[in-house]
Amino acid sequence: MAVMDGSIVNLALPTMAHEMHASAAEAIWIVNSYQIAMAVCLLPLASLGEVIGHRRIYLLGLVLFTFASLACTLSGNITQLSLARVLQGLGAAGILSVNTALIRFIYPVRMLGRAVGYNALVAGSASALGPSVAGVILHVASWHWLFLINIPLGLLALSIGLRALPFNPLSARKYDVTSALLCLLFVGLTLYTFDALAHLQGLSVVLPCGVLAAAVLWMLLRLQSASAPMLPLDLLRIPLFGLSISTSICAFAAQSTVLVMLPFLLQNQLGLPAAKAGLLLTTWPITLAMAGLLSGRLSDRIAAGLLGGLGLAVLTAGLLGLLCVQQSTPTPVIALLLGVCGIGFGIFQSPNNRAMISASPRTRSGAASGMLGTARLTGQTLGAALVALILNTSAIPYPVVLYCAASLAGVACVVSLTRLRF
């Protein structure tokens, strides 16, 4: 639910805007408010989980997400809905910030790769399936059900979590509220700077935001704890962890770039109806899920650098293959190319996540889990911003987007292979 709700409302934005008498620009904040609230809270909540317990943060996040979904359903205007989505994003951050950390306290080390594979399967599939699920719901019900369906699912998840989620050893340190606020401000300003740059708002907006973000980062680095920093530089100094984070950001940026652009390519350039385009797009998450399960098991025996590099090479090949797609290209060929991309990303994701978690000290599992989610959201944000920038500046946007995505995947492949030295 937490991952899927980042994209599930996209298809319903025109309907929501019409019913609430709002402009398209105002309706976009239904998506942005959720993504920004989730992104800025991941690291502070991950750090808090090390102090008061990952289980507690997860369950509180799940409760807030579920009741915020009810608030979204009952919203009567764009302002109310956007504020409810902020609360929903905060709840999602509680879930996603400690999710992977909890896995480390559930599975034995020898099965960690398999566990991360299951988790990557859920996250990867949910992210890519959001628009397709939304299409099915909107075909039979109003947009309110996009949120209403979360309530029974959330209550079910809560009943399971209360019985099943493990306790973890707590840190003796006090929670650094000042660093948490600075971290919130830094991530929020950085995301806004990327968005302003992508939408060509000019140096008068981009430059002050960028300078302010840099100033806040400087203050955060000066004031945060040296032993357990909010922005986990201690983890980034570990070569395997730092390289895995870099690989993740580039790979998710590549995937996000393509998934944001593909609906436009399939419908506007190839002339496919929305239903057929949506069905084609499901090829990616289905093959990602199958490959992710397999690579999760293999990652317990094969180095993440090798498996990740192989998957990213396959992803790069699939993206370059999409450059050859034209109106005369048979639909099965398009599906095959999307499947190749999904397989490549699935092979990469599970070993990469396992490498990040296993490379961090057990006492810093929360920070590692928060960084994992932050890397994913950073990559997705960069990818979406890149598409917006290209659409605003290029006369032939689709080939440029695919070249950029393939380049990002290629860079991620090279970075992944360098991990073989460690």
Side-chain angles (χ1 to χ4, degrees):
M1 293 187 300
V3 176
M4 188 176 289
D5 269 53
S7 60
I8 198 170
V9 301
N10 292 359
L11 205 63
L13 287 180
T15 303
M16 291 173 167
H18 177 73
E19 290 188 12
M20 296 182 175
H21 307 290
S23 67
E26 291 173 329
I28 290 295
W29 277 100
I30 299 172
V31 177
N32 288 352
S33 56
Y34 180 85
Q35 294 281 19
I36 292 172
M38 179 166 55
V40 301
C41 293
L42 279 174
L43 289 177
L45 288 177
S47 179
L48 184 59
E50 293 179 347
V51 177
I52 70 171
H54 304 317
R55 169 191 167 99
R56 188 171 295 169
I57 292 294
Y58 191 102
L59 293 175
L60 288 173
L62 184 54
V63 169
L64 179 57
F65 182 91
T66 303
F67 282 98
S69 297
L70 178 60
C72 290
T73 304
L74 299 176
S75 297
N77 56 56
I78 287 290
T79 302
Q80 292 175 2
L81 182 54
S82 297
L83 290 174
R85 288 281 282 172
V86 170
L87 293 177
Q88 200 183 30
L90 179 58
I95 296 168
L96 296 175
S97 61
V98 298
N99 184 54
T100 311
L102 283 168
I103 289 174
R104 196 171 189 178
F105 293 96
I106 295 173
Y107 282 80
V109 175
R110 62 183 176 82
M111 295 177 65
L112 187 59
R114 183 182 305 181
V116 172
Y118 294 147
N119 189 55
L121 161 65
V122 174
S125 301
S127 177
L129 275 173
S132 300
V133 172
V136 173
I137 293 175
L138 293 173
H139 184 69
V140 298
S142 71
W143 63 263
H144 301 82
W145 280 92
L146 297 175
F147 305 110
L148 198 59
I149 196 172
N150 289 332
I151 297 171
L153 293 175
L155 293 175
L156 176 61
L158 182 63
S159 67
I160 297 171
L162 286 169
R163 293 194 302 269
L165 292 179
F167 294 90
N168 62 283
L170 303 183
S171 172
R173 63 181 170 85
K174 292 183 178 179
Y175 188 63
D176 189 348
V177 177
T178 302
S179 294
L181 293 175
L182 288 172
C183 188
L184 288 170
L185 188 57
F186 166 66
V187 175
L189 283 169
T190 302
L191 291 177
Y192 185 78
T193 302
F194 287 149
D195 184 73
L197 183 63
H199 290 88
L200 305 178
Q201 292 190 19
L203 288 178
S204 61
V205 175
V206 174
L207 190 59
C209 288
V211 170
L212 189 55
V216 172
L217 174 61
W218 179 81
M219 291 178 61
L220 175 61
L221 296 179
R222 289 291 301 271
L223 296 177
Q224 69 179 357
S225 166
S227 58
M230 188 71 59
L231 187 64
L233 298 182
D234 56 326
L235 298 182
L236 293 173
R237 292 190 188 101
I238 301 172
L240 182 58
F241 187 91
L243 289 171
S244 297
I245 286 290
S246 302
T247 305
S248 185
I249 291 173
C250 290
F252 272 102
Q255 178 183 244
S256 176
T257 301
V258 178
L259 291 180
V260 169
M261 179 274 298
L262 275 175
F264 296 99
L265 172 66
L266 295 177
Q267 295 181 65
N268 295 350
Q269 183 159 313
L270 303 186
L272 297 179
K276 189 172 183 179
L279 187 61
L280 265 178
L281 288 174
T282 59
T283 309
W284 188 304
I286 290 172
T287 52
L288 186 155
M290 295 187 294
L293 285 175
L294 176 61
S295 68
R297 292 173 179 268
L298 291 175
S299 66
D300 289 322
R301 300 189 298 272
I302 302 175
L306 182 59
L307 265 181
L310 173 63
L312 290 165
V314 173
L315 174 62
T316 304
L319 294 174
L320 292 174
L322 286 172
L323 283 165
C324 302
V325 170
Q326 301 174 354
Q327 285 187 331
S328 59
T329 304
T331 301
V333 173
I334 300 175
L336 176 63
L337 290 171
L338 293 176
V340 169
C341 293
I343 289 171
F345 198 87
I347 293 172
F348 144 78
Q349 190 176 12
S350 299
N352 194 69
N353 290 355
R354 185 194 189 283
M356 280 189 275
I357 292 300
S358 59
S360 62
R362 197 171 178 85
T363 55
R364 295 287 283 153
S365 296
S369 179
M371 280 299 289
L372 191 153
T374 301
R376 176 176 60 81
L377 281 172
T378 300
Q380 290 174 341
T381 302
L382 286 172
L386 182 61
V387 173
L389 180 62
I390 293 171
L391 290 175
N392 283 326
T393 58
S394 177
I396 47 169
Y398 304 127
V400 175
V401 168
L402 286 170
Y403 275 122
C404 288
S407 299
L408 286 167
V411 170
C413 177
V414 173
V415 176
S416 179
L417 292 173
T418 61
R419 292 182 289 179
L420 294 173
R421 297 181 297 166
F422 302 101

